[in-house]
């Protein structure tokens, strides 16, 4: 009995196949010579886009390291600090203007096992060089806020854990440590970082980087792939899973081998990076996962989608959730996904007004926060540039309104209006964030010590409305 025509049609190659990446011709199922080459170009383009999206977390941290190295944070005993707080002089993915940041990179390959002394009453996080969580230190860490000594062991460390420390084995030689002390700059300066083997531990040097312009944002051109190769060459081969190693190998990035793409591959990579970045922008600014949105019909979105700092749901990796987070933000910790009232922090963001239009730097808008903003510590509203995902650069180096300022004006009913416009509105300027004509922007609402009314939806922010 012959194969039915519909079954044959389902498996046969057409004579001509038109796709979003080109038109390809076949002769009785075999690609023509011209189509064969272009099909491989398409395959490499698709793989290079996948590589960008899958390895962006690592390249983000590589850009962070390069940025702070440029302003003097060149070894683990150098801790960059923003005094009194971060400002728009530099490019950092959605940093906040409300607290003092400090951070450094440990080099376990050069220094071996390394100690961090976390100060009391602090909030500190350590991530590996592929931006995966290792541990919290401080209030949400094993020391519970009492302060403690943490020891980080390199991937090739052999033997038992040395006693007297909270010990963690890192999958990568380079790890990132970020520090925040609830009692400010002096609290952060109680951090100490030194090699375990040092008989006389060197003094930790704090370098104020707040007003030293530098960029920590990764590239979106073909140099992105050179950054990936640098990470692959310096880190253990097992620090990435075989699937991602396979993607990298398919475009010529293999540990122990030079990355020397030919002219054809360079051309493909030059096209792939902006395409992948465009996809990341779509995912970040208007995600298609319904769970990304806090409320039906609202534009307010979650930065962590799925409730997992590992971007997992039912055992599956949420690839678009991972892309969303790492394109907009830094610092991976379970504390950011905690739904425990009064603990940690919560974030909501949007680049859209209440009608779903992109926010326009030349227009005037209002955001109403109903009375009783559910934050035991403080709340803030901060504006960012859609291009850089860093602070919007205006006449004010701190483009935010925060309850910490003490001069935010409330309405008679206790609600608070935050205004956005290029020129000062006919309203309290303490409630105003300047925008820039011709530039798109987005906003992040932060709640520190969020209350139950945030988690159960009893309190919710208004939409950003054009005035």
């Amino acid at each position: 009995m012959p194969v039915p025509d519909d079954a044959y049609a389902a498996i046969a190659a057409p004579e001509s196949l038109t796709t979003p990446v080109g038109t390809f011709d076949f002769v009785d199922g075999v690609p023509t010579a011209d189509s064969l080459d272009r099909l491989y170009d398409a395959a490499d383009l698709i793989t290079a886009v996948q590589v960008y999206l899958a390895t962006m977390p690592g390249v983000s941290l590589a850009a962070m390291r390069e940025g702070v190295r440029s302003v003097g944070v060149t070894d683990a005993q150098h801790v960059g600090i923003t005094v009194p707080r971060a400002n728009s002089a530099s490019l950092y993915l959605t940093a906040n203007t409300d607290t003092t940041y400090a951070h450094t990179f440990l080099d376990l390959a050069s220094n071996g096992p390394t100690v961090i002394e976390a100060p009391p009453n602090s909030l500190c996080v350590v991530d590996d060089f592929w931006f995966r969580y290792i541990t919290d230190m401080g209030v949400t860490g094993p020391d519970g806020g009492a302060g403690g000594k943490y020891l980080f062991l390199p991937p090739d460390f052999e033997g038992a854990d040395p006693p007297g420390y909270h010990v963690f084995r890192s999958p990568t030689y380079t790890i990132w440590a970020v520090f925040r002390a609830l009692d400010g700059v002096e609290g952060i300066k109680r951090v100490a970082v030194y090699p375990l083997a040092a008989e006389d531990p060197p003094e930790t040097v704090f370098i104020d980087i707040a007003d030293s312009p530098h960029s920590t944002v990764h590239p979106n051109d073909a140099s992105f792939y050179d950054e990936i190769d640098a990470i692959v060459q310096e880190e253990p081969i097992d620090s990435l899973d075989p699937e991602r190693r396979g993607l990298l190998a398919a475009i010529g990035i293999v540990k122990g081998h030079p990355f020397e793409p030919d002219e054809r591959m360079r051309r493909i990579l030059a096209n792939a990076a902006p395409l992948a970045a465009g996809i990341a922008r779509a995912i970040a600014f208007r995600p298609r996962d319904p769970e990304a949105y806090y409320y039906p019909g609202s534009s307010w979105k979650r930065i962590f989608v799925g409730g997992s700092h590992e971007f997992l749901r039912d055992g599956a990796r949420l690839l678009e959730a991972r892309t969303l987070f790492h394109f907009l933000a830094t610092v991976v910790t379970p504390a950011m996904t905690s739904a425990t009232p009064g603990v940690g922090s919560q974030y909501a963001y949007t680049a859209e007004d209440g009608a779903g239009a992109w926010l326009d730097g030349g227009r005037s808008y209002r955001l109403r926060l109903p009375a009783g903003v559910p934050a035991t510590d403080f709340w803030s509203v901060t504006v960012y540039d859609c291009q850089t995902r860093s602070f919007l650069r205006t006449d004010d180096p701190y483009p935010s309104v925060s309850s910490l300022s003490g001069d935010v004006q409330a309405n008679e009913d206790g609600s608070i209006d935050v205004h956005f416009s290029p020129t000062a509105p006919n309203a309290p300027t303490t409630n105003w964030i300047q925008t820039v004509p011709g530039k798109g922007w987005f906003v992040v609402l932060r709640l520190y010590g969020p209350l139950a009314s945030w988690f159960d939806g009893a309190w919710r922010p208004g939409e950003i409305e054009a005035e």
Side-chain angles (χ1 to χ4, degrees):
M1 179 179 293
V3 175
D5 289 345
D6 57 348
Y8 184 83
I11 62 175
E15 291 184 0
S16 182
L17 176 64
T18 299
T19 78
V21 291
T23 298
F24 308 101
D25 299 320
F26 299 83
V27 177
D28 199 22
V30 178
T32 64
D34 174 64
S35 290
L36 185 67
D37 291 339
R38 290 187 296 107
L39 283 164
Y40 276 121
D41 287 350
D44 289 341
L45 176 69
I46 292 167
T47 300
V49 168
Q50 290 179 291
V51 165
Y52 175 107
L53 297 174
T55 63
M56 181 169 45
V59 178
S60 183
L61 265 189
M64 179 87 71
R65 182 177 66 176
E66 186 62 26
V68 297
R69 280 178 172 176
S70 73
V71 289
V73 184
T74 55
D75 62 48
Q77 283 73 56
H78 291 166
V79 175
I81 187 169
T82 58
V83 180
R85 49 204 172 104
N87 62 51
S88 61
S90 299
L91 301 181
Y92 279 81
L93 295 178
T94 53
N96 76 61
T97 64
D98 307 298
T99 57
T100 304
Y101 282 106
H103 60 120
T104 191
F105 285 86
L106 275 60
D107 182 354
L108 304 181
S110 298
N111 297 328
T114 299
V115 177
I116 295 179
E117 294 185 9
N121 202 31
S122 64
L123 293 167
C124 313
V125 181
V126 179
D127 292 328
D128 79 2
F129 208 36
W130 288 109
F131 234 138
R132 297 170 301 205
Y133 174 73
I134 295 179
T135 187
D136 285 277
M137 302 182 292
V139 173
T140 54
D143 65 276
K149 293 185 177 182
Y150 289 75
L151 176 63
F152 298 93
L153 304 177
D156 54 0
F157 182 84
E158 297 180 355
D161 293 352
Y165 303 90
H166 301 290
V167 180
F168 295 89
R169 294 173 181 254
S170 172
T172 57
Y173 291 110
T174 297
I175 59 179
W176 182 51
V178 59
F179 312 102
R180 183 161 70 93
L182 299 180
D183 47 0
V185 174
E186 293 309 311
I188 287 180
K189 288 189 174 181
R190 296 173 67 182
V191 168
V193 184
Y194 52 87
L196 177 66
E199 294 183 5
D200 184 16
E203 181 181 355
T204 301
V205 177
F206 293 89
I207 301 173
D208 185 2
I209 60 176
D211 296 319
S212 299
H214 57 285
S215 174
T216 68
V217 180
H218 64 77
N220 293 322
D221 59 16
S223 66
F224 182 97
Y225 300 97
D226 298 298
E227 296 288 340
I228 301 170
D229 179 64
I231 302 171
V232 168
Q233 301 309 326
E234 70 177 82
E235 293 297 347
I237 191 170
D238 292 335
S239 67
L240 269 188
D241 58 272
E243 188 74 17
R244 281 194 281 186
R245 294 206 303 267
L247 286 172
L248 290 165
I251 62 169
I253 298 176
V254 179
K255 186 172 178 62
H257 297 270
F259 178 47
E260 298 175 336
D262 59 19
E263 183 178 347
R264 180 193 77 92
M265 182 59 80
R266 274 288 174 198
R267 184 178 67 253
I268 289 170
L269 298 179
N271 289 327
L275 174 58
I279 292 169
R281 289 180 183 277
I283 292 169
F285 292 122
R286 191 169 287 168
R288 57 184 177 179
D289 185 342
E291 193 175 331
Y293 296 83
Y294 276 103
Y295 321 103
S298 172
S299 71
W300 288 107
K301 305 164 189 70
R302 295 176 170 87
I303 288 181
F304 263 116
V305 178
S308 164
H309 71 282
E310 296 180 298
F311 311 103
L312 293 173
R313 181 195 289 151
D314 299 328
R317 187 84 60 199
L318 301 179
L319 300 180
E320 292 190 3
R322 183 177 64 189
T323 294
L324 185 161
F325 178 84
H326 285 289
F327 196 72
L328 293 181
T330 59
V331 187
V332 174
T333 167
M336 294 178 71
T337 65
S338 171
T340 304
V343 175
S345 51
Q346 288 289 306
Y347 307 83
Y349 76 99
T350 185
E352 303 167 80
D353 66 16
W358 299 123
L359 296 170
D360 180 345
R363 300 187 64 185
S364 298
Y365 300 88
R366 184 198 70 185
L367 164 64
R368 176 157 291 174
L369 302 176
V373 179
T376 55
D377 298 326
F378 67 93
W379 59 264
S380 68
V381 174
T382 309
V383 167
Y384 300 92
D385 184 327
C386 290
Q387 287 282 18
T388 65
R389 293 93 71 205
S390 303
F391 294 135
L392 184 68
R393 287 180 168 170
T394 69
D395 297 331
D396 184 352
Y398 306 105
S400 65
V401 168
S402 168
S403 62
L404 288 178
S405 67
D407 54 7
V408 175
Q409 301 295 305
N411 301 318
E412 289 186 3
D413 64 356
S415 66
I416 296 168
D417 289 337
V418 179
H419 297 271
F420 312 88
S421 58
T423 57
N426 185 22
T429 56
T430 54
N431 292 34
W432 170 56
I433 304 176
Q434 187 178 19
T435 58
V436 179
K439 286 211 66 64
W441 55 278
F442 68 103
V443 63
V444 176
L445 168 66
R446 289 178 168 84
L447 305 173
Y448 291 88
L451 299 175
S453 59
W454 170 256
F455 296 109
D456 64 18
W459 185 96
R460 58 180 281 185
E463 298 298 306
I464 297 178
E465 303 293 347
E467 293 188 309

